[in-house]
Amino acid sequence: MSTVVVAPDSFKGSASATEVASALADGWRSVRPGDVVRLAPMADGGEGTLDAFEVAVPGAVRHPVRVTGPSGDEVDASWLLLPDGTALVELAETSGLGLLRRPAPHDAHTIGFGQAIAAALDAGATALLLAIGGSASTDGGAGALTALGARLLDADG
């Protein structure tokens, strides 16, 4: 009997890291049923980061939220509350490339990211962990800041 650690990243556009880890583990167990298989899906701060933390941190709780996606469409997303009160918010889930029907380099924004951050803070999160990979936007975070109440002004006010 062996212990096997299955720690993939996502297969971008095809399967999340959690789905890949589960499929690999199922395949391994079908050939070596006596082995202990430990799932440890990975993420680089982009898509799948919430999933990886949810698997890795016992007691983490996912909170659904509806936000404005990078092209202005409403999207279903979520943030994760960790047991110590820290909220993990993933940019890819709220304002990511996977949410676009087609590239929008001049228009995609991060408003949904700010909305998810605000939802986590409103729910009582005591700290934030922001995973900022996988963005579809080129607004430099201006959309997120405005969703959090900032006013952006030019030299003329």
Side-chain angles (χ1 to χ4, degrees), residues 5-120:
V5 177
V6 180
D9 196 348
S10 66
F11 285 19
K12 192 170 272 305
S14 301
S16 70
T18 302
E19 292 167 334
V20 173
S22 181
L24 289 169
D26 290 347
W28 188 275
R29 288 182 187 115
S30 74
V31 176
R32 298 201 34 142
D35 287 351
V36 174
V37 181
R38 301 207 186 280
L39 303 185
M42 305 293 284
D44 61 2
E47 68 177 33
T49 299
L50 282 182
D51 296 334
F53 267 79
E54 189 173 28
V55 170
V57 180
V61 178
R62 189 176 286 258
H63 292 267
V65 62
R66 190 151 178 84
V67 299
T68 305
S71 60
D73 299 330
E74 293 292 306
V75 297
D76 291 319
S78 55
W79 56 275
L80 199 64
L81 184 62
L82 305 179
D84 70 352
T86 299
L88 172 61
V89 184
E90 178 187 304
L91 178 66
E93 176 133 341
T94 59
S95 304
L97 286 167
L99 299 172
L100 292 178
R101 284 180 243 119
R102 60 181 133 42
H106 302 291
D107 301 318
H109 56 74
T110 56
I111 292 170
F113 189 48
Q115 292 170 329
I117 293 168

